[in-house]
Amino acid sequence: FRFHVELPTRPNQIVPGDKTSLIDAIVEPRFGFIIFLFATMLSITTGHFQLAIHRWLASGGDDNKHLQTIDNQRVPLRKNAIAGLWGQIGIGLLLVAGLVCLCVGISIQSVRFEIFGSLGWGLTQMGQNEPQQYSVISMAESIRNASPDPNGLATWLILGLFVGTAIIVPLMLMVVLMVLWIVPLKYKEQKILYIMSEVLNAWSAIEV
């Protein structure tokens, strides 16, 4: 959202390179915004703990006692699904397609900033109204350049959360779901991956 404009010194005579005055509008993260981020993370984390406590109580305080009656044979989750062979293959293909689409989606330009109106007309006359286009990846790369303090703690926090929740976590979620569906695992291992996918899904914020 950084807005940078160089204005000619002589408005009635635009000379290339003669731009000494400028307008530089920035969005500076302050205390309230950082507290909002922490509050959001605390809310999600609290949800994980509440769900874990609920499951522990629902199992009578011993979450592993029922494992004694389950065969330790390794089977893929798809074998336990209520789906025929083609259904199992179809879901597997959808997971692969989802991962491919996610990789393509974060790489292509999906956001465009363009200024219209009288301000846009004036900037066009000065040759400074080029539309800014970003992909999710290039948006992450531009965060530090848009900050008044590129090396500040708040800037790195925003960058880390953006990259983590919009790129890394969604990719990890798709990989974990694919492993859970395809790879033969014991029940306990399946349960661990299921909970992991649940956590990753909660922190995946690419749609946001």
Side-chain angles (χ1 to χ4, degrees):
F1 289 100
R2 187 161 192 171
F3 180 64
H4 181 86
V5 180
E6 293 180 332
L7 301 175
T9 305
R10 292 165 287 180
N12 296 326
Q13 185 179 0
I14 299 176
V15 179
D18 185 15
K19 299 174 181 177
T20 57
S21 303
L22 58 84
I23 298 173
D24 196 10
I26 58 174
V27 179
E28 182 178 359
R30 294 293 183 92
F31 182 75
F33 183 71
I34 302 304
I35 291 298
F36 167 75
L37 291 180
F38 276 111
T40 303
M41 292 188 291
L42 180 61
S43 175
I44 298 174
T45 304
T46 303
H48 294 318
F49 278 106
Q50 289 176 331
L51 186 56
I53 292 171
H54 165 75
R55 285 173 171 161
W56 185 76
L57 293 174
S59 66
D62 186 0
D63 199 29
N64 293 319
K65 65 181 182 180
H66 64 285
L67 294 177
Q68 300 173 0
T69 62
I70 297 179
D71 189 3
N72 284 328
Q73 178 183 357
R74 293 178 177 273
V75 294
L77 184 63
R78 58 185 175 83
K79 291 293 185 181
N80 298 324
I82 305 176
L85 176 62
W86 288 109
Q88 296 176 21
I89 294 174
I91 292 176
L93 291 176
L94 285 175
L95 288 171
V96 174
L99 180 59
V100 172
C101 288
L102 179 59
C103 292
V104 173
I106 63 177
S107 303
I108 62 175
Q109 293 179 341
S110 54
V111 178
R112 176 186 175 100
F113 292 104
E114 189 170 358
I115 301 173
F116 294 95
S118 57
L119 177 60
W121 178 84
L123 293 176
T124 300
Q125 302 307 307
M126 294 185 292
Q128 298 187 59
N129 196 21
E130 289 293 327
Q132 301 296 315
Q133 301 186 82
Y134 300 94
S135 66
V136 174
I137 294 176
S138 64
M139 197 181 302
E141 294 172 343
S142 67
I143 287 178
R144 292 184 65 226
N145 294 331
S147 171
D149 186 10
N151 295 314
L153 180 60
T155 303
W156 282 108
L157 174 63
I158 294 171
L159 177 59
L161 285 174
F162 183 84
V163 172
T165 59
I167 299 177
I168 296 176
V169 171
L171 290 173
M172 289 177 61
L173 173 61
M174 296 304 300
V175 171
V176 169
L177 289 176
M178 289 174 62
V179 171
L180 188 59
W181 185 252
I182 298 171
V183 179
L185 300 168
K186 294 181 180 180
Y187 174 80
K188 188 174 183 179
E189 295 168 338
Q190 289 180 346
K191 185 177 179 181
I192 291 173
L193 283 183
Y194 171 77
I195 293 176
M196 185 183 299
S197 67
E198 199 173 55
V199 172
L200 291 171
N201 183 62
W203 288 88
S204 175
I206 187 171
E207 69 277 13
V208 179

